[in-house]
Amino acid sequence: MAVKAALEGKDSARIRAETEKLQKVLGEAGSAAYQQAAQRQAQEQAGPQGSATGSEQSRQEASGPGGEKVVDADFKVRDEK
């Protein structure tokens, strides 16, 4: 890895340049992952249950790993004083 090699040296300009390259790649990977998740969510909402409204969809049950029931729901945290 270029960043690791740069860190072993004492050239601060090289370390900075390699770190910036790494941050750019990680940022692009994060953006791609976010876009894929958003597309997947849009496809799921438009899928066979496309006629349900957003609030109905957020409370529908789904099957999770191992066949367990998963419920996606909105909630509010109340501060009890």
Side-chain angles (χ1 to χ4, degrees):
M1 231 175 157
V3 175
K4 186 175 180 180
L7 288 172
E8 291 173 357
K10 295 185 185 224
D11 185 0
S12 62
R14 181 174 174 220
I15 294 170
R16 189 174 303 117
E18 294 299 332
T19 302
E20 288 174 0
K21 286 180 190 177
L22 178 60
Q23 287 175 340
K24 181 180 177 185
V25 170
L26 291 175
E28 291 171 355
S31 293
Y34 179 78
Q35 288 175 350
Q36 287 178 351
Q39 288 175 350
R40 190 176 316 117
Q41 183 179 12
Q43 289 173 350
E44 288 174 1
Q45 289 178 351
Q49 300 165 351
S51 61
T53 65
S55 61
E56 291 172 347
Q57 284 181 335
S58 66
R59 291 178 179 83
Q60 290 177 347
E61 293 185 4
S63 181
E68 58 192 37
K69 285 191 173 182
V70 178
V71 177
D72 184 16
D74 297 325
F75 67 95
K76 292 182 181 180
V77 177
R78 292 183 9 188
D79 187 21
E80 297 181 23
K81 292 182 180 183

